Amino acid sequence: MSTTSGYRRLLGLPGARAFTTGNLLARLPMGMFSVSAVVMIAGSRGSYALAGAVTATGLAATALAGPWIARLVDRHGQARIAVPATLVAVLGSLALLLCVHYDAPDWTLFAAYALTAATPNIGGLSRARWAHLLRDDPGALHTANSFEQAADELCFMLGPVLASFLTGTFFPEAGTLTGAVLLLAGMLLFTAQRATEPPVRARSQASSPLRSPGIPPLLACFTATGAVFGSVEVVTLAYADAQGHRAAAGAVLALQAAGSCAAGLLYGALKPTGVRLGHCLAGMAVLMTLPWAAAGLAGSLWASAGALLVAGMATAPTMVTAMTLVQRRTPADRLNEGMSLMVTGLLTGIACGSAVGGWAAEHSSPASAYVVPAAAAALALGVGTLSRAGGVPLRGPVRGAGNCATSQSAPADA
């Protein structure tokens, strides 16, 4: 069977192409906003420290607001919550643009960018639709989750490139403005497809997802995995700068995302049996030692780029498998909230990984700092092993998928 036949079948489902087009349009700005904000603020105020602080505030606000917005989606449905939440986020982006353009006080930048935390997790909303459409077909749902993970990687690979092109070719605000337009247009197209929107069930007395068996260790695994992503990005930027190839850092990081994207699509098409999260975490722990070895032994950015391409192939299968477990373990009417908690864990890990990776690159050397993502991957494996977070095989229908206003997932790279 062709490895593409499963994806053709998915997109052949009634309404699938339309909501997929909308979710891709709305998802692309997720990789654009932070780069656009940094370029816009640093260019206007002359301070990368201020730009970094503003974007970090937005990241923290997203981690806090995400579960709350997800809970509202669980209770009231996608269209009723996602559209007004998107409007708030778009207004926040436009407010940031105007505050920068008209030289408003610095505190207004923080307030405006914090509003973008209202952006719904469009990848999660899309996964919810697949879970609803494919609730009785676990194999096809695995393929759909893999497709969504590959889409995450693709958008976070292309988004920064598009933002850099727009801000450099036209004007500093072009990236933010284009991202806001794409987000709103994509979300309106996505939510207009009401035939595929999961129905809302009456809320049960189920406890918080944090109290569901197996969810806390999965949250810890997501946090450690986020530390891998955050540290790899910062360390690679520092290493490329130390090698005299600062401009090539974006392309090197894009190779890692490309490796993950390709592996995600292949993983979804092949549907390997018997694979558990523990296997994926072990693979990630092993492959994340390659950039460390390449930087230390070869001392070449291009050797490190090849190592990152291979290492990136471990991340998408890990995320796909982990998200499928979360879908199975979260109470039926709180799946969206449960997935959003994983996003919070991932964002927390990214922030911590960035901080530790930056400290290591500055106080030791960028090459030796690659030990940080390797250690974070080993930590994720340790948590998964000790807690048996990855010991459940991926079998059976999604828990409560029939209601599915509910299933949400995270971008592999915030």
Side-chain angles (χ1 to χ4, degrees):
M1 183 189 297
S2 169
T3 56
T4 62
S5 60
Y7 295 107
R8 287 199 301 267
R9 180 195 166 203
L10 288 180
L11 296 178
L13 294 173
R17 291 176 187 264
F19 82 72
T20 298
T21 301
N23 103 66
L24 291 177
L25 283 176
R27 201 184 308 195
L28 183 60
M30 299 303 99
M32 297 175 61
F33 281 135
S34 61
V35 173
S36 300
V38 167
V39 171
M40 186 170 60
I41 295 170
S44 173
R45 305 297 171 93
S47 173
Y48 278 98
L50 175 62
V54 170
T55 55
T57 300
L59 185 67
T62 300
L64 293 173
W68 178 70
I69 294 173
R71 187 177 300 175
L72 291 177
V73 171
D74 283 334
R75 291 182 179 179
H76 305 290
Q78 292 186 354
R80 292 183 63 186
I81 300 302
V83 172
T86 300
L87 288 173
V88 171
V90 168
L91 289 175
S93 295
L94 297 179
L96 176 68
L97 186 155
L98 293 174
C99 289
V100 172
H101 185 75
Y102 290 104
D103 201 26
D106 288 351
W107 68 265
T108 63
L109 307 184
F110 290 91
Y113 199 68
L115 290 176
T116 63
T119 306
N121 187 331
I122 181 63
L125 299 179
S126 185
R127 285 175 173 88
R129 298 198 177 210
W130 290 123
H132 172 58
L133 294 173
L134 305 171
R135 55 191 176 276
D136 298 322
D137 191 343
L141 181 58
H142 169 82
T143 302
N145 282 336
S146 299
F147 172 78
E148 292 296 328
Q149 188 62 38
D152 280 339
E153 301 287 355
L154 182 64
C155 290
F156 278 94
M157 180 172 60
L158 296 180
V161 176
L162 178 58
S164 299
F165 170 77
L166 291 171
T167 55
T169 304
F170 299 101
F171 48 91
E173 299 86 356
T176 298
L177 185 61
T178 302
V181 172
L182 288 174
L183 174 60
L184 182 58
M187 189 62 75
L188 290 175
L189 176 60
F190 177 84
T191 54
Q193 314 310 313
R194 302 303 292 270
T196 55
E197 180 177 350
V200 179
R201 279 185 178 178
R203 191 165 183 81
S204 72
Q205 299 301 314
S207 60
S208 166
L210 278 175
R211 298 180 181 178
S212 298
I215 290 297
L218 279 174
L219 181 60
C221 285
F222 271 89
T223 303
T225 303
V228 174
F229 301 152
S231 58
V232 161
E233 181 173 347
V234 171
V235 172
T236 299
L237 291 171
Y239 185 67
D241 195 12
Q243 293 286 313
H245 298 289
R246 185 177 183 180
V252 173
L253 289 171
L255 281 176
Q256 183 200 6
S260 183
C261 179
L265 289 173
L266 187 62
Y267 186 63
L270 295 180
K271 303 189 185 84
T273 58
V275 175
R276 303 186 181 194
L277 180 58
H279 302 151
C280 297
L281 291 173
M284 184 171 67
V286 171
L287 292 183
M288 276 299 161
T289 63
L290 296 181
W292 182 24
L297 298 177
S300 164
L301 178 63
W302 310 118
S304 298
L308 283 169
L309 173 65
V310 176
M313 294 179 181
T315 58
T318 301
M319 293 295 293
V320 170
T321 307
M323 289 301 176
T324 304
L325 282 174
V326 174
Q327 287 176 334
R328 293 186 185 337
R329 294 178 175 181
T330 305
D333 61 344
R334 304 187 81 164
L335 276 173
N336 208 42
E337 183 181 350
M339 290 291 183
S340 189
L341 285 171
M342 300 303 122
V343 176
T344 297
L346 199 68
L347 293 177
T348 301
I350 289 172
C352 293
S354 297
V356 175
W359 183 91
E362 183 174 339
H363 288 82
S364 56
S365 70
S368 61
Y370 271 116
V371 72
V372 176
L379 176 62
L381 174 60
V383 170
T385 301
L386 293 175
S387 64
R388 297 178 136 184
V392 178
L394 304 181
R395 294 193 298 263
V398 174
R399 179 178 176 181
N403 85 344
C404 276
T406 49
S407 175
Q408 183 163 339
S409 179
D413 190 333

